[in-house]
Amino acid sequence: MSDIRVQNLVKTFGATTAVDRLDLEIQKGEMVALLGPSGCGKTTLLRMIAGFETPDSGSIRLNGTVINDLPPQKRKIGVVFQDYAIFPTMSVFDNIAYGLKIKKLSKEEIYKDVMEYLGLVGLVGYEKRMPSQLSGGQQQRVALARALITKPEVLLLDEPLSNLDAALRLRIRKEIRKLQQALGITAIFVTHDQEEALSIADKIFVMRHGELMQGGSPADIYSAPANDFVADFIGKSNILYGKVTCKRTDTLTVSGKGVTFDAAAAGLQDVAINQDVWISIRPHLVRLEPGRENGSGGDSISPGTMNTGTGTVTYVEYLGNYTKGELRLQDGFDLEFEHYHFDPAARDNTISRGDRVAYGIAKENILVGTNIRGIE
């Protein structure tokens, strides 16, 4: 197992800064996701850790030792590439055995280890097959076994699931996570898929334009985003920019785009009247009452602790256990919602385009932030 520390790391390509004064720390045995949009620098960071790129400045430490100038083959790091990079003219057995042959292990040791790792990735019986005879998921497992068989201290995975179909992605990411936990290996997983990162990682580092926006557990980043970019990028969110128009002991009122919302003021004592802020409302926390056209009464939507009103449904997608869509409020703000069906067959669950419905959003479910970085 291993720990990794990156300090003040910078990498440029001509006039483009791919990684900008980055600091992060990864503990032994953690599965970490580097998450961000295309071009944010996550793959460049991974390649510097692997030794395929050299930093312009800053340091990368593995178990306390600076490895900036250490060649890749001496870093005890395994890499699984986006395109798998398995050798097309070698059998499954020979692909997996490649690193052991370079180490000049005996034939008996190589056979024993390869069969063990074929078992770990569920490919016993496939050892004589060529890559062209394998599915995408099977090729991915070969690449994973080849990376792990040399017993690296760190496993790097560069968007390893991007070439798989949706159902296979779910299965393979679960297998990767279970294998990583079973071996206790430190792993860094590069992805632009937020759901993938949330589901697989102990810790997530969100990047944008080469900068680290936030690092922490999936739950912390989802529930307490550091800025508007993270709030918008991690999970689904309605982002509204506005100003604080009223401040009370337990409530902040924020107005923007012709709409006004009350939010819980906990932890926001330093926010001032007229200050620019952003708010985030998760779609699944928007409560709807199909068939109702007012925001008063009822068990689920009541005034006082709730922001209430009515809107017109402008878009819907029926997904069985829930309906998602957009609600146009009176002042033109489009509010995304996810309406869950406790009984999918119930008539009162039906939401159609053009319906006028009541909505409610608890004050405690509206996040307010002052760090504005902009969204993409």
Side-chain angles (χ1 to χ4, degrees):
M1 295 191 294
S2 180
D3 70 316
I4 299 169
R5 287 179 175 82
V6 172
Q7 293 179 302
N8 204 29
L9 203 66
V10 176
K11 179 64 179 178
T12 59
F13 296 98
T16 301
T17 301
V19 174
D20 190 5
R21 294 166 294 176
L22 197 87
D23 292 283
L24 58 82
E25 184 173 337
I26 299 168
Q27 302 298 325
K28 293 180 179 180
E30 282 186 327
M31 169 70 91
V32 167
L34 300 180
L35 177 66
S38 297
C40 72
K42 54 190 186 293
T43 293
T44 299
L45 173 59
L46 197 81
R47 289 178 60 81
M48 286 192 284
I49 294 172
F52 303 140
E53 299 284 355
T54 302
D56 295 334
S57 60
S59 64
I60 303 169
R61 284 182 167 83
L62 180 63
N63 293 326
T65 301
V66 176
I67 60 170
N68 289 33
D69 299 319
L70 199 66
Q73 65 271 21
K74 293 186 178 181
R75 295 193 181 199
K76 296 183 180 179
I77 290 175
V79 184
V80 178
F81 297 96
Q82 183 176 358
D83 59 359
Y84 318 145
I86 58 178
F87 302 112
T89 58
M90 290 185 183
S91 67
V92 168
F93 185 97
D94 289 337
N95 262 285
I96 296 173
Y98 182 78
L100 301 183
K101 290 178 180 178
I102 290 177
K103 288 187 172 184
K104 298 183 178 180
L105 270 64
S106 69
K107 289 184 178 180
E108 292 77 13
E109 289 175 302
I110 290 174
Y111 180 81
K112 176 179 175 294
D113 286 354
V114 171
M115 295 310 296
E116 177 186 349
Y117 278 83
L118 280 168
L120 278 176
V121 297
L123 288 177
V124 172
Y126 289 77
E127 52 269 26
K128 294 183 180 179
R129 294 197 185 185
M130 301 301 289
S132 61
Q133 297 174 299
L134 303 177
S135 68
Q138 290 165 342
Q139 291 182 40
Q140 182 60 274
R141 293 183 198 181
V142 172
L144 188 60
R146 186 181 62 185
L148 290 170
I149 199 168
T150 57
K151 298 179 174 61
E153 294 185 2
V154 178
L155 177 65
L156 307 180
L157 303 110
D158 186 10
E159 303 218 37
L161 308 180
S162 60
N163 294 327
L164 305 179
D165 63 58
L168 194 55
R169 284 173 72 104
L170 294 176
R171 196 173 85 219
I172 297 296
R173 84 182 184 199
K174 182 178 179 181
E175 291 176 359
I176 289 174
R177 178 57 161 156
K178 289 171 72 174
L179 190 57
Q180 179 266 334
Q181 289 176 322
L183 296 174
I185 192 171
T186 305
I188 305 175
F189 190 102
V190 165
T191 182
H192 62 270
D193 186 322
Q194 53 181 274
E195 181 181 309
E196 206 162 79
L198 288 168
S199 68
I200 205 171
D202 298 305
K203 186 184 293 179
I204 296 173
F205 292 104
V206 183
M207 295 180 63
R208 184 194 190 196
H209 301 323
E211 295 182 61
L212 180 63
M213 294 286 100
Q214 187 175 0
S217 72
D220 287 344
I221 287 179
Y222 183 85
S223 60
N227 54 55
D228 52 329
F229 173 80
V230 175
D232 181 66
F233 195 78
I234 299 292
K236 300 171 185 175
S237 188
N238 294 282
I239 302 293
L240 174 69
Y241 296 97
K243 291 183 180 292
V244 176
T245 54
C246 183
K247 182 178 180 181
R248 298 181 292 279
T249 303
D250 62 347
T251 305
L252 287 178
T253 301
V254 178
S255 299
K257 281 193 175 181
V259 294
T260 297
F261 291 103
D262 287 337
L268 296 166
Q269 290 80 8
D270 294 336
V271 176
I273 297 292
N274 290 323
Q275 183 169 347
D276 290 322
V277 296
W278 56 267
I279 67 170
S280 168
I281 303 169
R282 300 293 186 185
H284 72 279
L285 297 175
V286 177
R287 304 292 299 274
L288 299 185
E289 282 195 2
R292 293 184 61 86
E293 292 192 16
N294 63 76
S296 62
D299 293 331
S300 60
I301 299 181
S302 58
T305 61
M306 303 284 281
N307 294 273
T308 61
T310 59
T312 302
V313 178
T314 57
Y315 176 77
V316 292
E317 292 180 10
Y318 178 78
L319 298 170
N321 63 326
Y322 74 101
T323 297
K324 71 176 182 179
E326 293 181 0
L327 193 67
R328 175 68 57 89
L329 306 190
Q330 290 179 348
D331 294 301
F333 180 65
D334 290 319
L335 186 69
E336 290 189 31
F337 64 83
E338 292 176 356
H339 179 65
Y340 286 79
H341 311 152
F342 295 105
D343 178 4
R347 290 176 60 84
D348 62 0
N349 279 321
T350 303
I351 296 176
S352 302
R353 185 173 179 273
D355 285 354
R356 290 284 296 174
V357 298
Y359 71 86
I361 307 163
K363 292 192 298 184
E364 293 74 18
N365 289 335
I366 297 180
L367 296 175
V368 180
T370 59
N371 187 355
I372 299 175
R373 302 298 297 266
I375 59 179
E376 297 177 353

